[in-house]
Amino acid sequence: MNNEIQMVDLRRQYQKIQPEIDAAVLNCLASTAYINGPEVKRFQDGLEQYLNVTHVVPCANGTDALQIALMALELNPGDEVIVPAFTYVATAEVIGLLGLTPVMVDVDRDTFNVTAEIIEAAITPRTKVIVPVHLFGQSCDMGPIMALAEKHGIYVIEDNAQAIGADYLLADGSGMKTGAIGHIGCTSFFPSKNLGCYGDGGAIFTHDDALAEKLRMIANHGQAERYYHSVIGVNSRLDSIQAAILNIKLQHLDEYCNARRRAADFYDASFAEIGELQTPVRHANSTHVFHQYTLQVADGKRADLQEHLQKNGVPSMIYYPVPLYRQKAFSKYVSADFELPVTEELCSAVLSLPVHTEMNDDLLGLITGHVRDFFG
Ligand SMILES: Cc1ncc(COP(=O)(O)O)c(C=O)c1O
């Protein structure tokens, strides 16, 4: 058994559900229904129910989900899409790929998320879409973002790749699942995600019947009827085997989110006295499903802390080290001196610690012990 500490421990998670998973995969192999088999429809129905959303359109990965969502909105070259500069590249990449213009905006220092206020300052007559990213597992404050979008006649595509299972909490105390709030929601089932399969997978969500039809058609070579192609589409499908795995893992999603939250609670309590660390701030408007547990390390001590952890066998990651506007691929969208202050600060201060479903107090005690030792 490999006892190395992992950022995400997929092996132990798999071992706990191995009989069910193995049976489902073998079943799928024997059925030969590898493409669009009954498991895919079953997963679609199950996820619709879980998210309380009218339509789920499964697809091949989270990046495709974002691309197909943008394609369904029938935008024109040069139309502007507002996106945070502090996110994974996929969110902005698809905007450029489709000949649209990514307008990169800053995020809130505490939650790592965009806010309606930040977005509003970037709206121009060419703005057609906002893509809020529920970064690290916590919802953006979607009420004001949806109100802003309505005021300006703009679409909202939620990038929910990191927050599936989180609830956005409304003033009346009720909750809505992230991804089911905007006009379209997108997610990824990359293995390390909160709901991950054993390869690539993704899905698109909407309450809108007409949009759902378009999304389905685009994901299927632009055809509603076989060999009759109405629009240019793509080939983006969730494999039946991955759907079979997801059907089992969906049953565990809430339990997985709770396990991650429990690990985060342990970290929070252990680091409460360390003034040089800011632990993740939990927004009152959202539950947090801790796709990442991300600290902000003060006074330029991040590199030393990371080295100290590495020497002691504790992995850590920097999500994300470089603002999107500093990436060569995005240089054409910004001037050479373009800079967003919070994004700059976060890129030099954030450090994510291991967080996954298989953490116990011994492991958490070991990791937090090494962090505390560093700060003396
Ligand atoms: C915020 C965000 N958006 C989009 C993606 C893209 O998902 P995928 O890797 O399935 O294409 C990811 C994950 O990798 C992500 O973290």
Side-chain angles (χ1 to χ4, degrees), residues 61-63 66 87-88 90-91 133 159 161-162 188 193:
N61 57 64
T63 310
L66 289 161
T87 180
Y88 183 58
T91 321
V133 181
D159 184 342
Q162 299 190 5
S188 160
K193 295 288 192 262

Side-chain angles (χ1 to χ4, degrees), residues 20-40:
E20 288 170 90
I21 294 274
D22 291 4
V25 170
L26 290 174
N27 228 344
C28 193
L29 291 179
S31 78
T32 72
Y34 307 135
I35 299 289
N36 286 333
E39 293 284 3
V40 179

Side-chain angles (χ1 to χ4, degrees), residues 1 9-22 198 248-249 252 255-256 259 262 356-360:
M1 169 67 76
D9 187 345
L10 293 176
R11 183 177 292 112
R12 280 195 179 79
Q13 191 194 62
Y14 164 59
Q15 283 165 348
K16 282 189 183 161
I17 52 173
Q18 186 170 0
E20 288 170 90
I21 294 274
D22 291 4
Y198 295 168
I248 292 161
K249 291 189 70 177
H252 295 278
E255 163 201 329
Y256 289 165
R262 203 188 145 273
H356 54 77
T357 58
E358 308 307 311
M359 300 188 94
N360 56 31

